[in-house]
Amino acid sequence: MEILNLSKEDLENVLLEHHFERYRVRQIIKWIYSRLIYSFDKMTDLSKDHRIKLQDLFSITPLKTPVIVSSADGTEKMVFELDDGCEVESVIIPDQNRITVCVSTQVGCPLKCSFCKTGTIGFKRDLSVREITGQILKASEYLSSKEKRITNIVYMGMGEPLLNFDATVKSIKLLVDDDGLNFSNRKITVSTVGIADKMVPLGELTGVNLAISLHAVTDEKRLKIMGVNGKYPISEILEAAIKYPAHHRKKVLIEYVMLKGFNDSLQDAKMLLKIARKINAKVNLIPFNTFEGALFESTERDDILKFQKLLMNGNITTTIRKSKGEHEFAACGQLGRVS
Ligand code: SAH
């Protein structure tokens, strides 16, 4: 059994079954996730007998060290080769005094949104808990060698986190555990296309911040670029957003990619304003990042600013996402090598 795929509760259950004291689970989680020790031999507060028993019960296999591709703006893309040869990518994004790590939850993506490169490579498989937390552990290891540390985590890499719900939730729980990476759930954001029936459960189980990739303000328009809207129409997504439990403490974020001539008119902005008010959200406008074969162009900067102004005049906090890593294809919507 691979210990890195177990949540704390899973591990506790196995340990109790094998007659370990309950508190041992905390010691083991601490060794792995806060000290980054991947060998039972080195867990010196456990007796020799315990260590041998653990070795018999579990394997402990960290991810292979990723290849790191640096971009001129400081963004670094980590490319992981997984055990079965699949590749997955994460991005380290430094910005002023923050270092955000953007993690993937699936190899490829089943959703095929027409403006996103990851969709064009198709869907291979879900990532395991080990493969999700492993991206953070490797980023953490890499950054600590430069005396830096992760301040924020966003589930905005390849794949749809809420279609890999269990592994996503288990990974978050390990990240926020006092004995684990000890992150605050306020520093973690999960982005979803709006898998409406999984949104509230995510909030209840983890309390993380929620971001919704909306990108269009009517079902008709949204369906043209996001097939998933057929299953989860905008009204259902908004209803789930209103019920989202972290809602009162922190606003839900609406992500809106700016596609020239498609969703960037002032009429679109007015409707977006209404939506943002209805669910008490803030808005992040994302200039479209291009890739080979892309069907769209980004809205011009001036028009993005006008769109932003309309929302701001309506008292909606609206930011424009800085494009990071685009030269190394590490920016939003550009993840996924064609292999
Ligand atoms: N599946 C989830 C998690 C991925 S987040 C989701 O869609 O929310 C990746 C973000 O980048 C999403 O908001 C996505 O819509 C956006 N994106 C995708 N392609 C893009 C592109 N070409 N340019 C800019 N942003 C893009």
Side-chain angles (χ1 to χ4, degrees):
M1 195 179 333
E2 173 56 53
I3 198 167
L4 297 177
N5 275 327
L6 303 183
S7 66
K8 197 180 195 180
E9 294 86 66
D10 296 338
L11 178 59
E12 183 169 273
N13 289 336
V14 181
L15 291 177
L16 289 177
E17 227 172 84
H18 289 85
H19 314 295
F20 281 78
E21 300 92 336
R22 189 177 292 274
Y23 69 90
R24 297 289 179 197
V25 68
R26 299 189 52 193
Q27 290 177 313
I28 298 167
I29 293 279
K30 215 173 230 161
W31 279 111
I32 298 175
Y33 294 95
S34 88
R35 303 190 186 117
L36 310 182
I37 294 296
Y38 306 115
S39 153
F40 295 117
D41 258 353
K42 294 189 182 147
M43 300 185 179
T44 46
D45 52 6
L46 297 163
S47 71
K48 187 122 204 254
D49 280 357
H50 274 141
R51 284 184 259 160
I52 291 172
K53 229 166 154 186
L54 288 171
Q55 246 148 19
D56 289 343
L57 281 171
F58 302 109
S59 54
I60 175 163
T61 327
L63 296 187
K64 275 188 234 159
T65 300
V67 172
I68 296 187
V69 188
S70 305
S71 193
D73 61 16
T75 303
E76 294 178 288
K77 179 158 88 169
M78 302 189 287
V79 183
F80 290 90
E81 191 199 331
L82 305 175
D83 298 343
D84 60 358
C86 280
E87 271 186 3
V88 82
E89 300 172 356
S90 333
V91 189
I92 301 173
I93 310 157
D95 189 20
Q96 291 168 359
N97 45 14
R98 278 199 304 204
I99 298 184
T100 303
V101 177
C102 174
V103 295
S104 296
T105 52
Q106 296 181 315
V107 184
C109 185
L111 293 173
K112 305 196 184 335
C113 301
S114 65
F115 48 84
C116 179
K117 178 168 174 209
T118 306
T120 66
I121 63 171
F123 174 64
K124 300 230 172 73
R125 65 174 175 83
D126 282 337
L127 293 182
S128 62
V129 176
R130 161 182 172 263
E131 289 166 334
I132 301 174
T133 51
Q135 298 168 58
I136 296 294
L137 293 173
K138 282 293 169 189
S140 192
E141 207 174 286
Y142 173 67
L143 288 166
S144 70
S145 73
K146 301 171 154 197
E147 286 174 17
K148 291 182 185 159
R149 53 179 205 91
I150 305 171
T151 61
N152 297 68
I153 296 172
V154 295
Y155 282 65
M156 295 189 186
M158 300 164 79
E160 168 52 48
L162 300 192
L163 290 181
N164 186 10
F165 189 79
D166 290 346
T168 293
V169 168
K170 282 186 180 184
S171 68
I172 294 168
K173 287 193 161 175
L174 287 165
L175 300 181
V176 301
D177 197 288
D178 295 351
D179 300 314
L181 280 135
N182 198 17
F183 257 97
S184 160
N185 55 8
R186 309 184 67 136
K187 300 283 179 190
I188 301 178
T189 301
V190 171
S191 179
T192 177
V193 293
I195 307 298
D197 48 358
K198 292 285 166 51
M199 287 161 54
V200 172
L202 172 78
E204 284 170 350
L205 291 168
T206 66
V208 293
N209 304 314
L210 184 71
I212 300 170
S213 292
L214 192 65
H215 307 325
V217 289
T218 64
D219 284 325
E220 196 194 350
K221 210 176 245 198
R222 195 164 187 264
L223 197 54
K224 284 191 184 147
I225 50 171
M226 300 176 76
V228 67
N229 200 75
K231 188 152 183 210
Y232 300 103
I234 294 177
S235 59
E236 279 182 30
I237 299 172
L238 300 184
E239 214 173 290
I242 290 170
K243 292 193 193 131
Y244 191 75
H247 186 58
H248 296 292
R249 196 187 59 197
K250 256 199 152 179
K251 289 185 175 176
V252 168
L253 179 72
I254 295 176
E255 295 164 283
Y256 196 90
V257 64
M258 301 295 299
L259 305 172
K260 189 175 182 172
F262 180 77
N263 64 359
D264 59 354
S265 72
L266 292 181
Q267 187 55 31
D268 289 306
K270 277 185 200 152
M271 290 181 71
L272 183 56
L273 173 64
K274 254 194 197 158
I275 290 177
R277 280 193 177 146
K278 183 168 173 188
I279 67 169
N280 187 24
K282 51 189 181 174
V283 174
N284 186 220
L285 301 174
I286 316 176
F288 173 72
N289 293 309
T290 196
F291 52 89
E292 208 181 304
L295 302 170
F296 292 97
E297 278 178 59
S298 181
T299 304
E300 311 287 341
R301 187 86 195 163
D302 277 358
D303 292 331
I304 298 180
L305 291 172
K306 280 184 202 148
F307 198 97
Q308 179 190 35
K309 197 158 176 223
L310 192 146
L311 290 161
M312 301 269 270
N313 286 343
N315 284 327
I316 295 296
T317 306
T318 308
T319 49
I320 300 176
R321 188 171 295 179
K322 273 191 219 160
S323 192
K324 287 274 188 175
E326 56 186 326
H327 301 300
E328 301 306 329
F329 294 101
C332 308
Q334 293 182 318
L335 297 186
R337 285 196 195 172
V338 187
S339 44

